[in-house]
Amino acid sequence: MIETLAAVEKVNLPLALLPHHVAIIMDGNGRWAQARGLPRTAGHKAGVEALRSTINAAIENNIAVLTVFAFSSENWSRPRHEVQFLLDLIANILQTEINKLHAENIRIQIIGECSRFSQRIQTLVKQAEQLTANNTGLKLIVAANYGGQWDITQAVQKIATRVLANELKIQDITANEVNNVLSLADVGPPDFFIRTSGELRLSNFLLWQLAYTELYFTDVLWPDFSREDFILALQSYGQRQRRYGRTNTQAASTQKRA
């Protein structure tokens, strides 16, 4: 069950220095379980608890959008029993947790190639999105059967279709046109990216959208990722200067005006 929000410690930063959109690769469930002599599936169960905690911390610390990598397009290559467990876990969360999330005014969006999932999961996805569509609190985006290369490819296909239909000229294809047909078109790219478990790579996650995102890597395995760890990450973000190719002086001037 989602815990009381008032119990979450807040980050000691002004709102202007907090990220609007945070993306997380929740990594390390299997290693967490194996280190305890447990099956990998036990780590995935524990990972759900860490996600609940992180959702609460995000709400309490005024994060507007939280995007999490739940199931990658590469995860199908894992052992069949583990893949099935992950799919069942996704279905169970969509079925049992959605009313709690809805009660917290959270809006749910699933990104990825959902057509590969069972009809049951596809139906649960639609029901979750429809139920929470008018909520105004945290937007929780779950990447499921998602890959950054797939995202860019489907964007290119949509743009090519428009060109063939004479709706768009080749010379008018811009970065904005690509952004508008990517999975996060309605929320924009993440300001801050977190990956747990000590791995130092993007693993085909939001490849286009992370171009200017601030990156944060921690050795903490996902099931052990606590509210305090999330706040520590936010504190790190608050100490950074986002320059977007500008000089330090230019960036500081822009930040001061904001």
Side-chain angles (χ1 to χ4, degrees), residues 60-118:
E60 182 67 11
N61 288 283
N62 300 302
I63 306 303
V65 184
L66 179 65
T67 299
V68 295
F69 207 5
F71 188 88
S72 78
S73 52
E74 288 75 36
N75 285 158
W76 295 100
S77 62
R78 291 188 175 187
R80 182 176 298 181
H81 73 279
E82 183 174 351
V83 171
Q84 189 58 54
F85 179 87
L86 288 169
L87 296 176
D88 290 343
L89 186 61
I90 290 171
N92 183 63
I93 291 172
L94 287 170
Q95 191 165 31
T96 64
E97 298 289 330
I98 188 59
N99 288 329
K100 301 171 190 176
L101 296 171
H102 180 47
E104 294 291 345
N105 197 30
I106 295 171
R107 182 180 175 188
I108 307 297
Q109 180 183 354
I110 311 298
I111 61 172
E113 196 174 6
C114 289
S115 61
R116 187 169 177 181
F117 291 135
S118 68

Side-chain angles (χ1 to χ4, degrees), residues 228-245:
E228 292 75 19
D229 291 314
F230 186 65
I231 289 167
L232 183 64
L234 294 180
Q235 293 282 13
S236 173
Y237 176 87
Q239 302 302 314
R240 303 185 189 189
Q241 185 185 64
R242 304 190 72 191
R243 295 195 294 273
Y244 298 100

Side-chain angles (χ1 to χ4, degrees), residues 46-217:
V48 174
E49 298 301 321
L51 176 57
R52 290 191 182 106
S53 174
T54 301
I55 290 171
N56 285 338
I59 294 172
E60 182 67 11
N61 288 283
N62 300 302
I63 306 303
V65 184
L66 179 65
T67 299
V68 295
F69 207 5
F71 188 88
S72 78
S73 52
E74 288 75 36
N75 285 158
W76 295 100
S77 62
R78 291 188 175 187
R80 182 176 298 181
H81 73 279
E82 183 174 351
V83 171
Q84 189 58 54
F85 179 87
L86 288 169
L87 296 176
D88 290 343
L89 186 61
I90 290 171
N92 183 63
I93 291 172
L94 287 170
Q95 191 165 31
T96 64
E97 298 289 330
I98 188 59
N99 288 329
K100 301 171 190 176
L101 296 171
H102 180 47
E104 294 291 345
N105 197 30
I106 295 171
R107 182 180 175 188
I108 307 297
Q109 180 183 354
I110 311 298
I111 61 172
E113 196 174 6
C114 289
S115 61
R116 187 169 177 181
F117 291 135
S118 68
Q119 191 57 54
R120 178 188 177 217
I121 291 180
Q122 291 183 53
T123 298
L124 289 170
V125 165
K126 291 178 182 177
Q127 290 174 344
E129 292 181 333
Q130 290 172 355
L131 177 66
T132 64
N134 295 321
N135 290 346
T136 58
L138 173 74
K139 184 164 188 179
L140 176 62
I141 301 175
V142 180
N145 194 27
Y146 175 89
Q149 293 175 337
W150 164 84
D151 201 0
I152 295 169
T153 300
Q154 63 86 30
V156 170
Q157 290 171 342
K158 289 177 181 178
I159 290 173
T161 299
R162 291 184 61 198
V163 171
L164 290 173
N166 294 318
E167 297 173 358
L168 182 68
K169 295 180 180 179
I170 291 177
Q171 60 268 28
D172 292 332
I173 299 174
T174 63
N176 282 336
E177 289 290 341
V178 177
N179 282 325
N180 289 338
V181 287
L182 287 169
S183 294
L184 297 182
D186 59 334
V187 297
D191 303 294
F192 192 40
F193 163 90
I194 300 170
R195 180 168 187 158
T196 59
S197 87
E199 300 293 347
L200 305 177
R201 57 180 178 270
L202 300 181
S203 293
N204 199 20
F205 184 48
L206 302 175
L207 297 180
W208 177 285
Q209 296 91 336
L210 293 177
Y212 273 101
T213 298
E214 294 295 321
L215 308 181
Y216 180 90
F217 299 93

